[in-house]
Amino acid sequence: MHDLYCDRIDTPKGVFLILFHSEGISRIYFPGQDPECSCPEGKLPWNNLAEDLNRYLSGEAVDWSRYPLDTSCYRPFTKALLEEVRQIPFGRVCTYREAAERAGSPRACRAAGQALKANRHPVLVPCHRVVASGGKLGGFSGPPGWKQMLLEIEAGGSRREI
DNA sequence: ATTAATAGCGGCA
DNA sequence: TGCCGCTATTAAT
């Protein structure tokens, strides 16, 4: 298959680890999740990704659609749902039910949770924009606190306080 | 191959 | 408030 490489992106929030090959991004790890991977290091062929990630973390709206993702590992429903989640605009959220609805299974809100758990492309596939109804935050597969932090970043836009 | 468990939600009592 | 069913997927049996 395609040879897998890894690269790191330094941000004020920590170091993100990106696994990728020539066809697209295979996986993204939050800071602190470094999996001790044994794949060779390489340079990301998408030059602006690091810059975009830093802009995003500082509150700017970033369009991730130009970065190709390797979604071959996902099951059909998971793939469909993540595709929809990817199109939730910056700063907006939807519920598990709405996400499942858009993926073609209106009653699969529980399965939606399973699908989001399987997301290997956090931030680029904004799983943090799917929240539980009733004002609850819902779960998150990443490090504790990251979901809330990402939502706050998007809500604040350019921050007004220090 | 079958069962249990999971980022949940909505209906109903 | 609490119980039930529903959906896709995975892990365990």
Side-chain angles (χ1 to χ4, degrees):
Chain A
M1 295 302 272
H2 309 110
D3 294 328
L4 200 58
Y5 299 95
C6 66
D7 198 3
R8 296 163 190 280
I9 297 181
D10 290 304
T11 80
K13 306 290 185 190
V15 179
F16 286 73
L17 189 71
I18 317 288
L19 300 191
F20 64 96
H21 52 58
S22 58
E23 299 297 308
I25 296 166
S26 176
R27 187 154 191 173
I28 297 176
Y29 292 92
F30 281 111
Q33 286 192 326
D34 302 307
E36 312 252 351
C37 76
S38 55
C39 61
E41 297 203 3
K43 194 164 189 264
L44 285 164
W46 307 282
N47 296 327
N48 298 326
L49 181 55
E51 181 188 339
D52 276 346
L53 182 59
N54 275 290
R55 288 195 314 148
Y56 172 78
L57 290 177
S58 64
E60 280 188 57
V62 171
D63 172 26
W64 303 111
S65 63
R66 71 188 203 84
Y67 296 106
L69 305 183
D70 176 14
T71 60
S72 61
C73 55
Y74 296 131
R75 292 288 192 164
F77 175 77
T78 304
K79 204 170 179 178
L81 187 119
L82 293 182
E83 270 304 313
E84 296 302 321
V85 168
R86 225 188 154 187
Q87 291 168 32
I88 303 172
F90 181 95
R92 298 204 41 190
V93 297
C94 80
T95 64
Y96 287 85
R97 184 177 176 278
E98 285 166 348
E101 209 168 299
R102 284 198 242 168
S105 303
R107 270 158 267 181
C109 49
R110 190 170 187 178
Q114 282 293 104
L116 293 176
K117 186 171 66 174
N119 177 29
R120 294 171 192 251
H121 303 93
V123 185
L124 267 66
V125 177
C127 51
H128 55 276
R129 290 179 194 148
V130 183
V131 298
S133 64
K136 293 183 181 176
L137 188 58
F140 194 56
S141 55
W146 268 88
K147 181 169 185 174
Q148 191 172 6
M149 188 176 73
L150 292 175
L151 288 173
E152 281 170 5
I153 285 173
E154 299 193 12
S158 48
R159 68 189 57 200
R160 49 189 89 92
E161 50 186 330
I162 333 181

